[in-house]
Structure formats: C-alpha cells, structure tokens
Amino acid sequence: ILCFTCESVKPVAEMDCGHFVGRQHKATRFHEKNCHPQCRYCNRYNEGRKDVYAVRLIERYGPNVLLELQEEKNKIVHWTHEDLKTVIDTYKAKLES
C-alpha cells in the first residue's frame, strides 16, 4: 500500500490510518476524505506530516477540502452501537470487494 504522505510502499500490516483532522473529532473520524494510509514513520513519528497531507488532500479533492473538513469536525456526533457496527460492516465489505 502507498503511504499518502511519503509515497513509500509497505504491506498493509505496516500501515496506519492517518487523519488530517485528529481522531478526537468524532464527526471526521471515519470521513473518507480525512482517512488515508500512512506509514508508521509519517503518522506516528512525524506527527502525520500535516503539511504534506494538506497538499495531497487538495490535489486529490480540490481546493475546498480543507475548509470542508474543518467545518465538519465541529459538528456534534453521538455514535450509537448500531452506527459503529454499520461503519465496521461497510469497511469490511469494501475490503472484500
């Protein structure tokens, strides 16, 4: 899998799910424009390389993506058990296809 920020290629077991907007913001925790594969070095030891992450987001999604994520992160979200089960099932299905 290709690291979103440094473009190194690693096995999926050696990658993290990197976030531009931190995971503490529930509204963007599972937002597909906010979650990308990152090698452990970029994500854990280089604080996500937010500068490069931002450039890559703009290249992929357009110039409004950073504003979109910043606005989205402030929404109040209360995940239910069923909501989280749906998220898990959705991504399991995507992995199988």
Side-chain angles (χ1 to χ4, degrees), residues 29-85:
R29 179 177 286 185
F30 303 115
H31 194 296
E32 288 192 11
K33 291 181 182 176
N34 191 47
C35 303
H36 298 87
Q38 279 190 303
C39 68
R40 291 178 182 159
Y41 180 76
C42 285
N43 192 41
R44 297 180 191 185
Y45 307 113
N46 245 336
E47 299 179 14
R49 295 188 67 194
K50 299 294 185 198
D51 55 342
V52 178
Y53 206 121
V55 170
R56 299 270 197 269
L57 285 173
I58 292 167
E59 288 172 351
R60 182 170 290 184
Y61 303 111
N64 296 324
V65 68
L66 301 181
L67 181 59
E68 174 188 341
L69 291 172
Q70 291 300 318
E71 289 175 352
E72 189 74 20
K73 81 175 188 181
N74 294 319
K75 292 182 179 176
I76 297 173
V77 174
H78 299 285
W79 295 101
T80 66
H81 179 75
E82 195 58 39
D83 292 334
L84 294 173
K85 184 174 177 347

